[in-house]
Amino acid sequence: MTFSAFLVALCTHSLRRTGVLCLAALAFIASAQPSPQLQLPRTKLNAGMHVLDVQLAQTPEQRQTGLMWRKDMPQHEGMLFVFEQPATQCFWMRNTLIPLSAAFVADDGTIVNIADMKPQSDDSHCSEKPVRYVLEMNVGWFAKRQLKAGYKLGGPAFTR
């Protein structure tokens, strides 16, 4: 039993005697639950006729949290991870609740490789060569549109 579950059970059982304390404990639990990043800056990308609305994860903290705790994501949305310089980028899915596909993308928008990733997994998925960008979309998004390594994405992020 988790500590949160224990507090809920205790409060439910003894609410008459310790109501205020239990309400404070339950409020603390609710505020301590992690929440997804939904307020990051956004940009538009295109893959041929497909227009994507993507959040930009640009700082180390934003990149570390990524799409964790999201319960769903619209099909035309994703997250573009922006790094300071090209390097071999490796991603895992700890605390990520939805299956994702990650496209490892070169400076000019060319997809280097794509990896399908399972939710809540520590399996590492890496770029096949140094990249500055990683675009995460719902799993299968790239495959459904027949986008593979070598395809060039467009958008302001790739016109540095």
Short mmCIF file of all heavy atoms in Angstrom, two decimals, residues 72-78 98-101 136-142:
data_model
loop_
_atom_site.label_atom_id
_atom_site.label_comp_id
_atom_site.label_asym_id
_atom_site.label_seq_id
_atom_site.Cartn_x
_atom_site.Cartn_y
_atom_site.Cartn_z
N ASP A 72 -3.28 11.41 -22.58
CA ASP A 72 -3.59 11.32 -24.01
C ASP A 72 -2.98 12.52 -24.71
O ASP A 72 -2.52 13.46 -24.06
CB ASP A 72 -5.09 11.23 -24.26
CG ASP A 72 -5.86 12.41 -23.66
OD1 ASP A 72 -5.28 13.50 -23.47
OD2 ASP A 72 -7.06 12.25 -23.38
N MET A 73 -3.00 12.46 -26.03
CA MET A 73 -2.47 13.57 -26.82
C MET A 73 -3.18 13.54 -28.18
O MET A 73 -3.25 12.49 -28.81
CB MET A 73 -0.95 13.41 -26.99
CG MET A 73 -0.29 14.57 -27.70
SD MET A 73 1.52 14.54 -27.57
CE MET A 73 1.94 12.99 -28.37
N PRO A 74 -3.70 14.68 -28.61
CA PRO A 74 -4.35 14.72 -29.93
C PRO A 74 -3.39 14.26 -31.02
O PRO A 74 -2.18 14.44 -30.93
CB PRO A 74 -4.72 16.19 -30.10
CG PRO A 74 -4.84 16.71 -28.69
CD PRO A 74 -3.79 15.96 -27.91
N GLN A 75 -3.93 13.68 -32.09
CA GLN A 75 -3.12 13.09 -33.16
C GLN A 75 -2.21 14.10 -33.86
O GLN A 75 -1.15 13.74 -34.33
CB GLN A 75 -4.01 12.39 -34.18
CG GLN A 75 -4.52 11.05 -33.70
CD GLN A 75 -3.40 10.08 -33.37
OE1 GLN A 75 -2.50 9.85 -34.19
NE2 GLN A 75 -3.42 9.52 -32.18
N HIS A 76 -2.61 15.34 -33.96
CA HIS A 76 -1.80 16.33 -34.68
C HIS A 76 -0.82 17.07 -33.77
O HIS A 76 -0.16 17.99 -34.19
CB HIS A 76 -2.71 17.34 -35.39
CG HIS A 76 -3.44 18.25 -34.44
ND1 HIS A 76 -4.52 17.83 -33.71
CD2 HIS A 76 -3.20 19.53 -34.09
CE1 HIS A 76 -4.93 18.83 -32.94
NE2 HIS A 76 -4.15 19.87 -33.15
N GLU A 77 -0.75 16.66 -32.50
CA GLU A 77 0.16 17.32 -31.55
C GLU A 77 1.32 16.41 -31.20
O GLU A 77 1.26 15.20 -31.35
CB GLU A 77 -0.59 17.71 -30.27
CG GLU A 77 -1.59 18.82 -30.49
CD GLU A 77 -2.20 19.34 -29.20
OE1 GLU A 77 -1.66 19.04 -28.11
OE2 GLU A 77 -3.21 20.04 -29.29
N GLY A 78 2.39 17.03 -30.71
CA GLY A 78 3.56 16.30 -30.27
C GLY A 78 4.46 17.20 -29.45
O GLY A 78 4.06 18.30 -29.04
N ILE A 98 1.59 7.19 -22.21
CA ILE A 98 1.08 6.89 -23.55
C ILE A 98 2.22 6.38 -24.44
O ILE A 98 3.36 6.82 -24.30
CB ILE A 98 0.41 8.13 -24.20
CG1 ILE A 98 1.37 9.33 -24.23
CG2 ILE A 98 -0.87 8.50 -23.47
CD1 ILE A 98 0.81 10.57 -24.91
N PRO A 99 1.95 5.44 -25.33
CA PRO A 99 3.00 4.96 -26.24
C PRO A 99 3.35 6.05 -27.26
O PRO A 99 2.47 6.76 -27.75
CB PRO A 99 2.37 3.75 -26.91
CG PRO A 99 0.89 3.93 -26.78
CD PRO A 99 0.67 4.76 -25.54
N LEU A 100 4.62 6.20 -27.53
CA LEU A 100 5.09 7.26 -28.41
C LEU A 100 6.06 6.73 -29.46
O LEU A 100 6.71 5.70 -29.26
CB LEU A 100 5.82 8.34 -27.59
CG LEU A 100 5.01 9.06 -26.54
CD1 LEU A 100 5.92 9.92 -25.65
CD2 LEU A 100 3.92 9.90 -27.18
N SER A 101 6.14 7.45 -30.56
CA SER A 101 7.20 7.25 -31.55
C SER A 101 8.09 8.47 -31.50
O SER A 101 7.60 9.60 -31.45
CB SER A 101 6.62 7.10 -32.96
OG SER A 101 5.88 5.91 -33.09
N GLU A 136 8.58 13.76 -30.62
CA GLU A 136 7.74 12.68 -30.11
C GLU A 136 6.29 12.91 -30.53
O GLU A 136 5.75 13.99 -30.34
CB GLU A 136 7.82 12.59 -28.58
CG GLU A 136 9.14 12.03 -28.09
CD GLU A 136 9.17 11.81 -26.59
OE1 GLU A 136 8.36 12.41 -25.85
OE2 GLU A 136 10.03 11.04 -26.14
N MET A 137 5.71 11.84 -31.09
CA MET A 137 4.31 11.84 -31.53
C MET A 137 3.67 10.56 -30.99
O MET A 137 4.36 9.66 -30.52
CB MET A 137 4.23 11.85 -33.06
CG MET A 137 4.87 13.05 -33.73
SD MET A 137 4.03 14.61 -33.43
CE MET A 137 2.49 14.34 -34.29
N ASN A 138 2.34 10.48 -31.07
CA ASN A 138 1.67 9.24 -30.70
C ASN A 138 2.27 8.09 -31.50
O ASN A 138 2.64 8.26 -32.67
CB ASN A 138 0.17 9.33 -30.97
CG ASN A 138 -0.55 10.19 -29.95
OD1 ASN A 138 -0.50 9.92 -28.77
ND2 ASN A 138 -1.21 11.24 -30.42
N VAL A 139 2.36 6.92 -30.87
CA VAL A 139 2.98 5.77 -31.52
C VAL A 139 2.30 5.49 -32.87
O VAL A 139 1.08 5.58 -32.99
CB VAL A 139 2.97 4.52 -30.61
CG1 VAL A 139 1.58 3.90 -30.50
CG2 VAL A 139 3.98 3.49 -31.08
N GLY A 140 3.11 5.22 -33.86
CA GLY A 140 2.61 4.89 -35.18
C GLY A 140 2.31 6.08 -36.07
O GLY A 140 1.98 5.90 -37.24
N TRP A 141 2.43 7.30 -35.55
CA TRP A 141 2.11 8.49 -36.34
C TRP A 141 2.95 8.53 -37.62
O TRP A 141 2.43 8.76 -38.70
CB TRP A 141 2.30 9.77 -35.53
CG TRP A 141 1.76 10.98 -36.21
CD1 TRP A 141 0.50 11.49 -36.09
CD2 TRP A 141 2.44 11.82 -37.16
NE1 TRP A 141 0.36 12.60 -36.90
CE2 TRP A 141 1.54 12.82 -37.57
CE3 TRP A 141 3.72 11.82 -37.70
CZ2 TRP A 141 1.89 13.80 -38.49
CZ3 TRP A 141 4.05 12.80 -38.62
CH2 TRP A 141 3.15 13.78 -39.01
N PHE A 142 4.23 8.32 -37.50
CA PHE A 142 5.13 8.38 -38.67
C PHE A 142 4.83 7.22 -39.63
O PHE A 142 4.75 7.42 -40.84
CB PHE A 142 6.59 8.35 -38.22
CG PHE A 142 6.96 9.52 -37.35
CD1 PHE A 142 7.02 9.38 -35.97
CD2 PHE A 142 7.24 10.77 -37.89
CE1 PHE A 142 7.35 10.46 -35.15
CE2 PHE A 142 7.56 11.85 -37.09
CZ PHE A 142 7.62 11.69 -35.72
#
